Amino acid sequence: MKIFALTGAGASAESGLGTFRDKDGLWSRFDPMKLATPEAFAHNPDEVHAFYNMRRQNLLSAEPNAAHRALARLEGSLTERGGSLFLCTQNIDDLHERAGSQRVVHMHGELLKARCTACGGTMSWHEDLSVEVPCPSCRCSGGLRPHVVWFGEMPLEMDAIYDALLGADLFVAIGTSGSVYPAAGFVSEARGHGIRTCEINLEPSDNARQFDEGRYGPASEVVPAWVEQLLSSRSSS
Ligand code: NAD
Ligand code: APR
């Protein structure tokens, strides 16, 4: 069985990382147009660096939750049985990897990586970033930015993502409001190709009617139960 799983901020919510559009979400406290666009970085790099430095420090003290661990288990079990899990995340945290997932596609980039706008190099980065920090490879100052996809920029690895999506037997969206394209369009792409769809969320998202099935509750409870049911039904079939 080939499963395509898309995760959003709700998958990491119970690890203490904020979501974006919930009641006290990040975008209710910070203006994304001032912090998450290339223009914002060009006009006010210090403010953008401070925002991502705060999020990076929060992430370094966070831990994966049961939803991340269940998806890592699902990947291992499906692979053992000749199937596959393509785990595509909109999240920029590394909690899937720390929970044991071997293959994670970060379509919005990764908070624990930096990219140099001068030489294009990307590198692992856990410390605070600022305009004073020179790029380790080209030594250029002021060029390092978070390796994160901002509004107006192209998400990453979209060819691999669409190949995996259209070859899946099941598309499951976990903890995402389905507010931002192109991820928001994955469910209709899947339906258009006759692929079964399932939404796992705290409550029905605005896209809920597009899904064949919905399972609602905290991801740390609903995802492990869903994986358990999937694997036990597969082992009996
Ligand atoms: P966006 O939400 O502005 O829209 C993405 C694209 O989809 C745009 O081309 C838009 O025209 C199109 N679109 C929007 N609504 C649509 C609809 N109802 N029907 C059809 N098309 C629609 O996102 P963006 O500006 O393209 O941002 C690119 C990516 O960067 C997004 O996936 C976003 O999530 C990501 N991002 C990441 C962060 C972060 O901190 N990681 C912050 C902001 C944005
Ligand atoms: N369990 C399951 N779902 C949850 C939980 C939880 N504990 N807590 C919140 N949710 C759900 C909410 O109901 C909501 O549908 O997670 C979703 C979070 O939605 P958003 O805050 O919009 O986050 P996301 O969908 O990941 O945003 C997409 O927008 O700003 C960009 O790049 C950013 O990747 C992000 C993208």
Side-chain angles (χ1 to χ4, degrees), residues 7-11 13-14 19-22 27 90-91 108 149 151 174-180 200-203 205 217-220:
T7 60
E14 291 162 89
T19 61
F20 294 93
R21 296 171 185 83
D22 283 334
W27 297 151
Q90 299 173 92
N91 300 335
H108 291 167
V149 176
F151 283 104
I174 300 169
T176 179
S177 62
S179 316
V180 175
I200 294 177
N201 201 302
L202 206 51
E203 62 207 5
S205 72
S220 66

Side-chain angles (χ1 to χ4, degrees), residues 69-130:
R69 290 193 293 274
L71 288 170
R73 178 159 164 255
L74 178 62
E75 178 191 56
S77 302
L78 285 176
T79 308
E80 276 164 22
R81 303 172 189 191
S84 65
L85 173 69
F86 188 95
L87 181 51
C88 172
T89 186
Q90 299 173 92
N91 300 335
I92 57 177
D93 62 57
D94 67 336
L95 298 181
H96 284 305
E97 289 88 344
R98 280 202 263 152
S101 289
Q102 299 300 306
R103 168 97 167 102
V104 185
V105 174
H106 286 271
M107 64 184 288
H108 291 167
E110 297 175 69
L111 187 53
L112 297 183
K113 285 185 180 170
R115 184 167 83 235
C116 177
T117 53
C119 69
T122 54
M123 59 220 76
S124 174
W125 201 279
H126 288 207
E127 295 71 34
D128 282 357
L129 264 178
S130 78

